[in-house]
Amino acid sequence: MSKKEWPLWEVFIRGQHGLNHRHVGSLHAPDAEMAINNARDVYTRRREGVSIWVVPSKDITASSPSEKGPLFDPAESKTYRHPTFFDIPEDVGKM
Amino acid sequence: MAAETIPPGAGVKDPFIGDDTLRPAFFEWLCRMGDNALILGHRTSEWCGHGPVLEEDIALANTALDLIGHTQMWLGLAGEVEGKGRSADDLAYLRDAMKFRNVLLVELPKGDMAVTIMREFLFDACHHLLLSWLADNAKSPRVAEIAAKALKEVSYHLDRASDIVVRLGDGTAESHDRMQAALDLLWPYAGELFAGDEVDSALQDAGIAPDLTTLRDNWDERVRDILDEATLKIPDTGGYTHLGGKQGRHTEHLGFLLAEMQFLQRAYPGASW
Amino acid sequence: MYAQLVKSDGLKSREEMSPEERAFQDRVDNGEKIEPKEWMPEGYRKTLIRQIGQHAHSEIVGQLPEGNWITRAPTLERKAILLAKVQDEAGHGLYLYSAAETLGVSRDELQEKLHSGKMKYSSIFNYPTLNWADIGAVGWLVDGAAIMNQVPLQRTSYGPYSRAMIRICKEESFHQRQGYAIMMKMASGTPEQKEMAQDALNRFWYPSLMMFGPSDKDSVHSAQSMAWKIKMNTNDELRQKFVNETVPQAEYLGLNVPDDKLAWNEDKQGYDFSEPDWNEFFEVIKGNGPCNRERLNARVKAWDEGAWFRDGLNAYAEKAADRRKAAPVAAE
């Protein structure tokens, strides 16, 4: 009988159009090289990608859910970071 | 039967299609290419739903799908060259075993994963060299085009199979022993891939296919490197090779495989699926 | 759906809830997604593991009845399509196991529970595929029934489950269509082919209706799951929707739905139809369906015989890591 489970990996794929690698899911593999091959076989069956990253799931450090408020709420009040904050007269043209 | 799959480059002018002198040998040779892909693909597809781990189940299905795709292209072209209106499906589903031209290696039962992976490795190492040559050198543009398309997929098959051969050979004592047993079983069949006959000579003379002796030397080197790394020993078979598949003399296994594969076409002749 | 009889606790009223449970319920009610490391009631976690696990098991056991015909598919194209489809089921099992793993259970643990019979899979996969039209019927009816349930589950409250369902629905969109395409060929083919098509519909109709689970009046425990948004519709709602959509499709094929009581009901704007035999359903769930033993044995065999393969690859990975550690650091 099998004693030890293959470790879990998180898979990130960059699609055809040059955007950032995006998390697409996870899979099991004995090591990084095989995780890349498995990711190719599992997550790019429909030509979804041109580049693959794999990371051992245990090495992901996540922000704590209880910190959600302090971490993300402060950005809410900074509306001046968005272009629509500023009124530019139509006469000026496209900006 | 069902509409033919139109092979890539079907519009390209190929001086060898319609060449009456070459026709019989060219047709035979294309059947060999197509039948190897068909039978190996069939064996590989038998794993679907029964793989040792989900990731491998999915990977094996990808390999089988690639091989079925190659079959459609090679047998499609074979039908065109033959010029009797037979489609890839006609050739796959309506020939009896004695008309099949695959090497014996690919028709042996799938066995355990060791046999499956070792066979894929031995076959791919040859297949890859062959397709590389064809893609670059074949004077038939249609052959070169199919080879170029198949080559990309087979490069991946070979990388993956080589990697797993090394890993399992140098894994646990059990995985090592199983891989060694698989190599012992399959080695005497591998030589058929390079055993040339008058068909191979005719195609070589026409500039469509390579010299199999050179191919064998390159194959030997590549296979030995990987098997060394995998800590596996090539068995001493005294140079004996099982032959016959390329000429239509098969093992008992092929008949059963075809009985299963061709059942519907045989039981309901002329039906459309 | 692929999870027909998931046990969960009874519905808690607001007064019975702890402050955490109340806050949690508010988030679910507001349509927020619950993510892996966030606080959740233990019942929510356990029910989800059972449900996602059952769903995942159904995908991989579901490979078997269709996989049966891969080596007998009648053309190269049909062979490729079927193989791609059955491969997708393995992929879907993989995504769902991954979603379950975020809840603190490993894939191996879940599979061992399947193998020991502690966890179930959908009853539908215990029926045999006897002729080629069955491959059409499975795609058309079984995938059709599954989609009814999976589409709303894309909005389920648990983030990883919802994301897995989105990916699955996207990939599955071709499955039902390929099934119906086979049925069209068969139903308009030779008399023998038409006979196969009708035979397939006869055998798969009621087992497909069973896929939605027992009638709401007999289905305990679903209120809590619905409050948690891990079950989005009642069994009877989905079954009715399925019948309404499928009957015209059968008519288009010129096939008869094997139900004498089937009739359009103008008042409810839906079909009246006969219930499946629920005794048969419970027998199949208990293990007495036509193929229960074969299906489970095939999975156990694949797993047991694959042990050396998985262990061998693990052993190599460990050796290789040790070698890398022992080797002097190469030039940058």
Side-chain angles (χ1 to χ4, degrees):
Chain A
M1 256 329 271
S2 203
K3 294 143 234 107
K4 209 177 137 236
E5 187 162 6
W6 288 357
L8 191 65
W9 301 76
E10 299 304 323
V11 180
F12 300 80
I13 291 191
R14 183 165 69 216
Q16 311 276 350
H17 307 295
L19 298 176
N20 289 330
H21 283 78
R22 208 165 66 92
H23 183 242
V24 294
S26 4
L27 50 73
H28 289 268
D31 64 16
E33 290 76 21
M34 280 204 72
I36 293 271
N37 278 354
N38 288 348
R40 179 264 187 200
D41 279 314
V42 172
Y43 287 107
T44 67
R45 302 200 300 286
R46 288 172 170 77
R47 315 176 30 160
E48 290 93 336
V50 294
S51 164
I52 300 173
W53 288 349
V54 292
V55 185
S57 306
K58 66 173 172 48
D59 291 346
I60 300 259
T61 308
S63 61
S64 155
S66 59
E67 296 278 302
K68 222 182 200 168
L71 282 178
F72 306 116
D73 289 353
E76 256 174 45
S77 56
K78 316 265 187 316
T79 48
Y80 46 78
R81 283 189 188 276
H82 298 280
T84 47
F85 179 80
F86 304 94
D87 288 327
I88 305 288
E90 267 180 41
D91 302 347
V92 179
K94 226 182 182 167
M95 187 177 279
Chain B
M1 198 180 286
E4 271 177 63
T5 315
I6 297 167
V12 178
K13 188 113 181 77
D14 191 315
F16 296 99
I17 296 176
D19 176 337
D20 288 338
T21 326
L22 191 63
R23 191 190 316 270
F26 197 10
F27 174 70
E28 284 277 307
W29 185 86
L30 287 166
C31 286
R32 290 176 183 179
M33 297 300 290
D35 291 346
N36 281 338
L38 173 59
I39 304 301
L40 185 60
H42 184 99
R43 285 294 187 218
T44 309
S45 78
E46 290 173 358
W47 280 102
C48 188
H50 306 276
V53 67
L54 276 173
E55 287 79 2
E56 188 63 28
D57 206 299
I58 293 168
L60 286 168
N62 277 340
T63 302
L65 281 169
D66 291 341
L67 289 167
I68 296 168
H70 303 171
T71 307
Q72 289 173 307
M73 297 191 285
W74 290 122
L75 291 185
L77 183 55
E80 264 186 81
V81 165
E82 189 195 32
K84 291 183 185 164
R86 287 204 280 181
S87 66
D89 279 341
D90 291 332
L91 291 170
Y93 289 91
L94 299 174
R95 280 178 302 157
D96 199 352
M98 63 194 269
K99 301 286 185 195
F100 269 75
R101 295 291 180 261
N102 58 283
V103 293
L104 303 179
L105 175 71
V106 298
E107 73 197 44
L108 299 176
K110 78 182 200 302
D112 62 1
M113 278 298 293
V115 171
T116 289
I117 296 288
M118 182 60 78
R119 164 164 55 196
E120 199 192 319
F121 165 65
L122 296 173
F123 180 80
D124 284 345
C126 168
H127 203 192
H128 184 262
L129 287 167
L130 176 58
L131 293 173
S132 305
W133 189 95
L134 295 173
D136 290 344
N137 306 298
K139 291 223 172 89
S140 155
R142 295 286 298 283
V143 167
E145 193 155 5
I146 295 175
K149 173 154 193 327
L151 180 61
K152 282 188 205 156
E153 295 168 347
V154 171
S155 303
Y156 178 72
H157 300 173
L158 177 61
D159 284 351
R160 197 173 180 286
S162 307
D163 183 51
I164 298 182
V165 165
V166 169
R167 287 165 182 269
L168 290 175
D170 191 16
T172 59
E174 184 180 3
S175 71
H176 173 89
D177 292 350
R178 283 176 182 263
M179 291 306 280
Q180 185 63 54
L183 181 59
D184 294 349
L185 171 77
L186 299 171
W187 189 256
Y189 290 92
E192 192 187 1
L193 292 163
F194 308 99
D197 62 4
E198 64 281 7
V199 170
D200 294 301
S201 310
L203 271 281
Q204 193 188 329
D205 293 347
I208 300 178
D211 170 23
L212 290 175
T213 330
T214 324
L215 215 62
R216 162 125 224 181
D217 294 341
N218 293 336
W219 179 84
D220 260 337
E221 196 183 329
R222 182 182 283 187
V223 164
R224 275 169 209 280
D225 283 351
I226 295 289
L227 293 177
D228 269 354
E229 200 185 338
T231 72
L232 297 171
K233 287 197 177 56
I234 293 175
D236 181 13
T237 57
Y240 185 76
T241 298
H242 294 285
L243 298 171
K246 287 167 77 169
Q247 292 79 29
R249 289 188 312 280
H250 290 277
T251 65
E252 291 180 343
H253 306 294
L254 185 65
F256 289 101
L257 185 155
L258 295 182
E260 187 172 333
M261 187 176 88
Q262 299 179 337
F263 152 67
L264 283 169
Q265 291 281 359
R266 299 293 195 179
Y268 303 98
S272 168
W273 304 93
Chain C
M1 148 77 38
Y2 276 179
Q4 293 157 315
L5 280 175
V6 178
K7 282 191 193 131
S8 74
D9 303 327
L11 180 61
K12 264 191 188 176
S13 69
R14 248 190 120 70
E15 293 70 48
E16 292 171 300
M17 289 182 193
S18 68
E20 283 148 317
E21 286 171 330
R22 226 169 291 150
F24 176 85
Q25 189 61 52
D26 289 341
R27 293 188 58 203
V28 171
D29 292 344
N30 288 334
E32 279 184 51
K33 291 276 180 262
I34 309 301
E35 295 298 338
K37 286 176 183 165
E38 296 173 347
W39 188 88
M40 60 186 78
E42 193 52 19
Y44 178 84
R45 198 179 71 85
K46 283 194 170 147
T47 310
L48 265 177
I49 289 176
R50 276 194 289 260
Q51 178 170 329
I52 302 173
Q54 229 182 82
H55 195 157
H57 297 331
S58 298
E59 296 282 355
I60 58 166
V61 177
Q63 286 184 276
L64 300 171
E66 287 177 285
N68 255 337
W69 280 87
I70 290 171
T71 54
R72 288 179 290 172
T75 68
L76 294 169
E77 190 181 62
R78 290 282 177 219
K79 195 188 197 66
I81 293 170
L82 180 59
L83 180 54
K85 183 196 179 237
V86 180
Q87 180 199 39
D88 274 350
E89 316 291 359
H92 299 169
L94 192 154
Y95 309 155
L96 286 160
Y97 283 127
S98 300
E101 282 179 276
T102 62
L103 292 160
V105 59
S106 79
R107 187 167 91 185
D108 282 9
E109 275 173 68
L110 288 171
Q111 296 205 33
E112 269 151 29
K113 281 188 180 160
L114 168 70
H115 299 155
S116 65
K118 282 187 198 131
M119 284 183 86
K120 303 284 184 205
Y121 54 88
S122 176
S123 59
I124 190 75
F125 301 117
N126 291 312
Y127 289 88
T129 49
L130 302 176
N131 78 53
W132 173 251
D134 286 15
I135 298 308
V138 168
W140 170 37
L141 300 173
V142 175
D143 289 297
I147 289 165
M148 293 275 154
N149 188 49
Q150 289 175 176
V151 168
L153 272 178
Q154 295 178 99
R155 291 178 283 110
T156 185
S157 61
Y158 188 56
Y161 192 23
S162 153
R163 291 189 283 273
M165 286 327 303
I166 289 169
R167 196 177 180 93
I168 289 172
C169 286
K170 203 168 118 201
E171 296 188 353
E172 280 225 335
S173 53
F174 96 85
H175 291 184
Q176 189 185 15
R177 294 169 72 102
Q178 70 86 32
Y180 196 71
I182 292 178
M183 291 308 277
M184 288 199 298
K185 270 274 184 208
M186 299 297 281
S188 64
T190 64
E192 288 104 332
Q193 285 177 306
K194 187 156 189 187
E195 191 184 348
M196 287 185 233
Q198 183 62 55
D199 179 51
L201 174 57
N202 291 349
R203 282 179 290 105
F204 275 96
W205 175 255
Y206 288 106
S208 299
L209 296 185
M210 291 177 198
M211 286 178 69
F212 299 93
S215 175
D216 296 339
K217 56 187 190 297
D218 307 317
S219 181
V220 280
H221 308 306
S222 68
Q224 179 63 74
S225 287
M226 291 190 67
W228 278 335
K229 293 194 187 161
I230 56 184
K231 186 178 168 80
M232 310 298 286
N233 306 84
T234 73
N235 297 348
D236 286 335
E237 270 167 29
L238 289 172
R239 191 168 12 248
Q240 181 70 55
K241 189 164 185 275
F242 174 75
V243 172
N244 291 351
E245 286 186 18
T246 309
V247 169
Q249 294 165 356
E251 281 167 3
Y252 180 84
L253 293 171
L255 299 177
N256 300 317
V257 174
D259 181 356
D260 294 340
K261 295 203 185 110
L262 188 76
W264 178 255
N265 181 329
E266 193 59 36
D267 293 341
K268 75 172 183 188
Q269 286 295 300
Y271 287 92
D272 292 329
F273 58 94
S274 303
E275 291 272 310
D277 176 355
W278 291 111
N279 290 329
E280 177 182 316
F281 171 77
F282 286 108
E283 285 300 327
V284 174
I285 291 285
K286 264 193 267 167
N288 296 323
C291 300
N292 291 59
R293 271 175 206 83
E294 286 94 329
R295 301 290 186 246
L296 204 54
N297 286 347
R299 286 312 310 165
V300 171
K301 184 165 178 276
W303 185 248
D304 288 351
E305 289 181 358
W308 71 269
F309 177 89
R310 300 188 298 273
D311 291 345
L313 294 179
N314 247 341
Y316 179 88
E318 280 164 19
K319 276 193 232 179
D322 289 347
R323 276 178 218 148
R324 270 197 296 274
K325 261 184 235 157
V329 180
E332 291 290 297

